[in-house]
Amino acid sequence: MLATVRVQEKGQVTIPSDIRKKLRLKKGDLVTITMREHDVIIQPVKIAVQEALSHLERSLAQRGYKLDDLLAACQRVGGERAARNFDLSEADKAALYNALQLQAQQALETIRLQSEAAGLDRLSDEEIDTEIQVARHAAAGPDRT
């Protein structure tokens, strides 16, 4: 599908509606922008994560490793040590870090949208402190007051 769009003053472009529909993009969705030698690729974060993890999974399988084991090791010992333990190439390590970073950005965006929907983004610092104190008091239980 070919579409021509105009770059606006601040570098913004509008993704045509038929492309947004095909990619199931809606307001607030995150996309990645990858620059190659002579072009740019825009894709939903979900697809970029899947592609990075699929590449990594194939590479690991060739050496008898499983992606789930690598991801669990990242949580247990950290990414750098896990990358060494699984003997990741620089390209594989970059794919791992990109996928993890994109997943983290996606999670933060989900939290942001949920807090906006619940009205939590309008709390003052004082109200937040009060909520923290109430939660701490509740967590301590009746015997620890």
Side-chain angles (χ1 to χ4, degrees), residues 8-59:
Q8 301 299 318
E9 182 178 335
K10 294 182 180 181
Q12 297 168 317
V13 296
T14 300
I15 301 171
S17 62
D18 53 338
I19 294 174
R20 289 193 314 268
K21 286 177 188 173
K22 184 172 179 138
L23 294 175
R24 297 184 187 143
L25 291 173
K26 59 190 178 313
K27 181 182 177 183
D29 284 350
L30 296 176
V31 296
T32 63
I33 300 175
T34 306
M35 187 174 143
R36 297 191 314 189
E37 188 174 345
H38 297 290
D39 58 5
V40 173
I41 298 170
I42 300 174
Q43 62 188 162
V45 166
K46 191 183 314 181
I47 292 172
V49 168
Q50 288 171 348
E51 286 181 0
L53 292 178
S54 292
H55 163 79
L56 191 54
E57 188 170 37
R58 287 189 302 275
S59 176

Side-chain angles (χ1 to χ4, degrees), residues 52-73:
L53 292 178
S54 292
H55 163 79
L56 191 54
E57 188 170 37
R58 287 189 302 275
S59 176
L60 288 168
Q62 291 173 349
R63 292 178 286 126
Y65 294 121
K66 293 183 179 176
L67 178 62
D68 288 342
D69 294 338
L70 171 62
L71 295 176

